[in-house]
Amino acid sequence: MAELLSTSPGDIERAGRALREGLLVAFPTETVYGLGAKATDTHALARVFEAKRRPTFDPLIVHIAEVDALATVADLSQLAADRRELVQRLISALWPGPLTLILPKQPSIPDLATSGLSTAAVRLPAHPVAQALIRAAGVPVAAPSANPFGYLSPTRAEHVLKQLGDRVDFIIDGGRCSVGVESTVLDMSGDTISILRPGGLPRERIEAIIGPVHQIDRSTAHPTAPGQLPSHYAPRASLSLFPLGEIPLQGWSDSEPLACLFFDEASRSRWLSAYSRLHTGTDSAGSPLPESRVLSPSGSLLEAAANLFDVLHELDALGVARILAERVPDRDLGPAINDRLYKARGEAKGRTGHSST
Ligand code: TXA
Ligand code: MG
């Protein structure tokens, strides 16, 4: 079983040493918890894929603690000068933070980390514990989200303990993650600059610095663009997704434990009053209202993102069989939240142990 560590300097030093020696350490970042391994150690990397039951064709993000370390992972000289300039601008404006850049890789980064691609994903997390750990390790740290492949990402140490506790060596408990959705993955290596995964850094923030970027359309994307695998972030419950304000009031089986997931309190109360109106009279015993949760009472997309995985973990723990969720507004962090909800939809039902997708 994993040993839980605190964020004390002594514990971080110990975790850093463990990483250097090839052990696996789960750690907090501002987005979600990562499952860390020394990026240049193929044995440690193999254990990461094994622990997550992740297919080796899905590459990992390499984390660094300062901009100077970028050269140990990426080779910017392979980029045209004007593209290099855009990379520099993004880095000075948006790192550290929830932005992962796809760049030509250095030969020292093993194929296993990048799934044989000639590019590497690099990120400088803003979380002080993540930075301190990577510094203590003294090496770049490859880290996917610390969840079994295809399942919800962890935003608390307890999520990691529950899901992967028997497969990692240490878990640093740094409390709740503040952003709550994974980093935005931006491909700077190809002819067009593309967002491969919407995430914790809104597209608008990127475009304010380098102008328009392309956004991969999730409905047409296929797995040649890594990160676009169809079933991801899925809860055990089967989730149905509806436009904002359009969760249906009837039409599901009464025997199925159900929960509704709303964007804000206004949306929940509208739905609940319509539900009560509809069901009054038809059931004099007064059938109980379905479980419901709100991502952000006041309708803040920041708060909704921070609560998303937490709420889904909670509903799964309650043993709810079906979740009816509404989309959130498609601006700022909205696309990242909607992407996770979209990928959590019910088709994934029937998976056993969430390990095969
Ligand atoms: O916020 C985050 O990004 C978290 C924390 C721990 O940093 N990490 C994370 O890692 O979400 P993971 O492995 O769950 O997602 C990494 C994504 C995957 O969608 C992967 O396909 C994509 O990055 N990726 C990695 N290397 C790539 C590459 N060379 N080209 C294109 N996509 C890549
Ligand atoms: Mg992940």
Side-chain angles (χ1 to χ4, degrees), residues 52 54 144-145 147 153 182 197 232-233:
K52 278 184 64 97
R54 174 168 168 139
S145 50
N147 51 282
S153 293
E182 300 86 343
R197 176 177 74 181
H232 241 95
Y233 318 113

Side-chain angles (χ1 to χ4, degrees), residues 134-221:
I134 300 163
R135 281 203 193 96
V139 289
V141 173
S145 50
N147 51 282
F149 186 64
Y151 191 60
L152 302 171
S153 293
T155 48
R156 298 172 185 268
E158 304 90 86
H159 297 157
V160 185
L161 188 64
K162 199 163 157 194
Q163 300 176 11
L164 292 177
D166 54 348
R167 292 151 185 253
V168 309
D169 301 299
F170 296 98
I171 301 172
I172 302 178
D173 187 350
R176 245 187 118 192
C177 301
S178 60
V179 175
V181 290
E182 300 86 343
S183 61
T184 302
V185 177
L186 184 68
D187 188 354
M188 297 298 290
S189 71
D191 290 340
T192 36
I193 299 179
S194 314
I195 294 181
L196 301 184
R197 176 177 74 181
L201 187 82
R203 174 185 190 163
E204 295 87 332
R205 299 273 312 278
I206 294 170
E207 294 191 326
I209 294 165
I210 58 167
V213 298
H214 180 238
Q215 162 96 61
I216 301 270
D217 177 357
R218 61 181 165 255
S219 56
T220 59

Side-chain angles (χ1 to χ4, degrees), residues 97-156:
L99 173 66
T100 293
L101 298 176
I102 308 295
L103 296 165
K105 83 175 190 82
Q106 287 290 2
S108 58
I109 301 300
D111 280 344
L112 191 52
T114 63
S115 303
L117 296 170
S118 57
T119 53
V122 199
R123 162 158 136 76
L124 201 174
H127 199 297
V129 172
Q131 291 183 6
L133 174 68
I134 300 163
R135 281 203 193 96
V139 289
V141 173
S145 50
N147 51 282
F149 186 64
Y151 191 60
L152 302 171
S153 293
T155 48
R156 298 172 185 268

Side-chain angles (χ1 to χ4, degrees), residues 48-304:
V48 168
F49 284 98
E50 166 63 25
K52 278 184 64 97
R53 305 268 187 252
R54 174 168 168 139
T56 51
F57 59 74
D58 195 10
L60 307 177
I61 297 175
V62 179
H63 297 68
I64 54 179
E66 48 255 328
V67 174
D68 283 351
L70 177 61
T72 63
V73 181
D75 178 7
L76 297 194
S77 74
Q78 290 184 44
L79 293 175
D82 52 345
R83 181 62 63 85
R84 204 154 54 225
E85 146 91 33
L86 296 182
V87 171
Q88 310 283 18
R89 268 202 257 160
L90 285 173
I91 288 176
S92 32
L94 301 174
W95 272 9
L99 173 66
T100 293
L101 298 176
I102 308 295
L103 296 165
K105 83 175 190 82
Q106 287 290 2
S108 58
I109 301 300
D111 280 344
L112 191 52
T114 63
S115 303
L117 296 170
S118 57
T119 53
V122 199
R123 162 158 136 76
L124 201 174
H127 199 297
V129 172
Q131 291 183 6
L133 174 68
I134 300 163
R135 281 203 193 96
V139 289
V141 173
S145 50
N147 51 282
F149 186 64
Y151 191 60
L152 302 171
S153 293
T155 48
R156 298 172 185 268
E158 304 90 86
H159 297 157
V160 185
L161 188 64
K162 199 163 157 194
Q163 300 176 11
L164 292 177
D166 54 348
R167 292 151 185 253
V168 309
D169 301 299
F170 296 98
I171 301 172
I172 302 178
D173 187 350
R176 245 187 118 192
C177 301
S178 60
V179 175
V181 290
E182 300 86 343
S183 61
T184 302
V185 177
L186 184 68
D187 188 354
M188 297 298 290
S189 71
D191 290 340
T192 36
I193 299 179
S194 314
I195 294 181
L196 301 184
R197 176 177 74 181
L201 187 82
R203 174 185 190 163
E204 295 87 332
R205 299 273 312 278
I206 294 170
E207 294 191 326
I209 294 165
I210 58 167
V213 298
H214 180 238
Q215 162 96 61
I216 301 270
D217 177 357
R218 61 181 165 255
S219 56
T220 59
H222 65 83
T224 51
Q228 297 292 322
L229 292 167
S231 169
H232 241 95
Y233 318 113
R236 261 186 292 278
S238 128
L239 185 143
S240 307
L241 187 58
F242 302 94
L244 186 59
E246 294 182 26
I247 295 184
L249 296 165
Q250 53 193 352
W252 56 81
S253 141
D254 274 349
S255 57
E256 218 178 15
L258 174 86
C260 295
L261 181 56
F262 298 97
F263 170 47
D264 59 9
E265 198 50 62
S267 192
R268 168 156 72 179
S269 26
R270 259 195 311 273
W271 190 90
L272 286 177
S273 20
Y275 182 91
S276 313
R277 268 199 308 278
L278 184 73
H279 290 263
T280 305
T282 60
D283 179 0
S284 51
S287 60
L289 292 172
E291 282 282 343
S292 64
R293 293 290 184 282
V294 167
L295 288 178
S296 165
S298 65
S300 142
L301 287 161
L302 267 181
E303 187 182 30

